[in-house]
Amino acid sequence: MNPDDPLLKILACPLDKGPLHLLTLGDDEAPNSGAEPSAGEALYNPRLHRRYPIVDGIPQLLPSSGEQVTEDEHEELLKRMVP
């Protein structure tokens, strides 16, 4: 997913309906949700500390698809968020 993709402006977290931020993750940091995210990308909700994978270019935005991250991961992900 491209950081300039207009889809990013309308996607919202399924839990709090707030905006999501695009993350580009390294291979060793990609979420392990059974399906590999496309090029290590995910959408992140910093308010709830939840990460949603992007699989084959499609954001997986079901509440059950989100992964809760630890406080340490949260701090690292804040540094990696694409502006």
Side-chain angles (χ1 to χ4, degrees):
M1 183 171 272
N2 185 330
D4 298 327
D5 193 327
L7 183 61
L8 285 174
K9 293 180 182 171
I10 61 171
L11 289 177
C13 175
L15 298 175
D16 74 355
K17 311 302 186 234
L20 295 167
H21 301 274
L22 180 64
L23 296 173
T24 54
L25 305 171
D27 291 337
D28 58 333
E29 300 172 87
N32 297 325
S33 61
E36 276 302 307
S38 137
E41 293 181 326
L43 293 171
Y44 186 59
N45 178 339
R47 298 166 308 283
L48 299 179
H49 298 201
R50 291 192 64 84
R51 175 173 51 199
Y52 297 92
I54 299 174
V55 179
D56 295 328
I58 301 169
Q60 306 297 303
L61 294 177
L62 293 173
S64 61
S65 298
E67 175 186 36
Q68 193 73 33
V69 300
T70 65
E71 190 62 36
D72 291 337
E73 285 179 292
H74 170 70
E75 294 300 323
E76 185 61 33
L77 292 173
L78 288 177
K79 297 175 190 173
R80 293 181 178 271
M81 284 188 341
V82 174

